[in-house]
Amino acid sequence: MASSNPLGSLFGRSPIGPIQEHMQVAFEAAEHLPELVQATADGDWDRAREIHKAIRDAEGEADKIKRNVRRHLPKSLFLPVPRSDLLTLVSIQDQVANTAEDFASIVMGRDMQFPEKILPAVLELTETSVGCCGQALASIQLLDNLLEVGFSGREVKRVEAMIKELDKLERRTDKQQFNLRRKLFKLEAELPPVDVMFYYRATALLGTLADCAEKVGDRLQVLLAK
């Protein structure tokens, strides 16, 4: 991703570009999850396997970008934030891709089909969690603009508003996850106990996905405060 930051002309490609690219790929791993849940619900396992592969590929690409950023992020570049903070940001972003892949692997590893009575709630939680990831991505896409203005001025307020919206979305997933657990609790007696255990585990990962996205926003907010 190209950056208009004048530092880029001095040091080649801006170090911010690969960080933004990493978050984009992490989001791509997550954005497939609602489609995966729907494909398994429909019993379309060929499609589900294709989606799972796309998620694994995105997670693998995110790992490659993360390693490249760690190896090549300049140590002597004059930035308004410490290099270590940018590396921490990449590590947090990587958790988005990892969590999406963990969820997909549980679903596909067990040929999981969520019970029809909780499927709408699962899809709702999945979509909101992915929405958190999208909001985190939108915030990170402004990182080069923040760098250009020295993390001050109007751009800061714009990003702060986006982070506030991300926090709202994450709180929504907390409520959705609670309601989903209540629905699942009422069904426990009708379902195989091992299946129930993995349903709880899978839906917990959806909550974790939203938490990871919120942590991206939190870390960006820390950068704004420096």
Side-chain angles (χ1 to χ4, degrees), residues 2-225:
S3 171
S4 59
N5 174 20
L7 289 175
S9 63
L10 297 176
F11 296 95
R13 187 181 185 192
S14 167
I16 301 303
I19 294 172
Q20 294 171 313
E21 181 184 2
H22 179 263
M23 187 61 211
Q24 174 66 48
V25 174
F27 172 71
E28 288 170 5
E31 71 175 335
H32 294 293
L33 296 184
E35 190 180 3
L36 177 65
V37 172
Q38 189 61 61
T40 60
D42 295 340
D44 190 349
W45 295 105
D46 287 339
R47 179 61 182 148
R49 280 187 287 272
E50 290 176 1
I51 298 168
H52 185 210
K53 183 180 184 302
I55 293 169
R56 285 190 287 111
D57 288 348
E59 192 274 336
E61 181 63 21
D63 276 343
K64 290 179 183 177
I65 298 171
K66 175 187 67 177
R67 288 193 294 269
N68 285 333
V69 170
R70 286 174 174 174
R71 283 198 299 262
H72 302 300
L73 186 65
K75 295 181 180 179
S76 59
L77 188 60
F78 297 105
L79 294 171
V81 293
R83 177 179 183 272
S84 59
D85 285 350
L86 295 178
L87 292 176
T88 299
L89 176 61
V90 171
S91 295
I92 295 171
Q93 291 178 173
D94 205 55
Q95 294 173 13
V96 171
N98 291 342
T99 304
E101 203 277 332
D102 287 345
F103 174 85
S105 291
I106 285 181
V107 169
M108 295 305 296
R110 293 187 55 80
D111 292 341
M112 184 181 289
Q113 291 178 298
F114 289 97
E116 189 174 338
K117 290 181 180 179
I118 66 169
L119 179 60
V122 173
L123 283 169
E124 180 183 49
L125 174 60
T126 307
E127 289 167 358
T128 308
S129 295
V130 172
C132 288
C133 298
Q135 187 70 9
L137 171 62
S139 300
I140 292 298
Q141 285 175 332
L142 295 176
L143 189 54
D144 51 354
N145 293 344
L146 288 171
L147 177 62
E148 185 175 317
V149 298
F151 285 78
S152 62
R154 188 177 304 171
E155 285 297 319
V156 170
K157 293 183 179 180
R158 182 180 175 192
V159 174
E160 286 177 339
M162 296 178 77
I163 293 172
K164 185 176 180 180
E165 181 61 28
L166 172 55
D167 290 342
K168 282 185 183 179
L169 284 171
E170 194 279 331
R171 287 196 297 273
R172 188 182 304 168
T173 66
D174 287 341
K175 294 178 182 178
Q176 291 172 345
Q177 191 173 7
F178 176 81
N179 292 335
L180 176 53
R181 285 173 174 165
R182 291 296 302 168
K183 292 177 187 294
L184 183 53
F185 172 72
K186 293 177 182 179
L187 291 177
E188 282 183 8
E190 306 172 21
L191 302 169
V194 174
D195 286 354
V196 170
M197 180 181 70
F198 279 99
Y199 292 145
Y200 278 119
R201 174 59 181 153
T203 54
L205 282 170
L206 293 174
T208 300
L209 182 65
D211 291 342
C212 291
E214 184 185 36
K215 287 177 183 177
V216 172
D218 289 344
R219 175 51 54 172
L220 188 53
Q221 199 160 39
V222 168
L223 297 182
L224 294 178

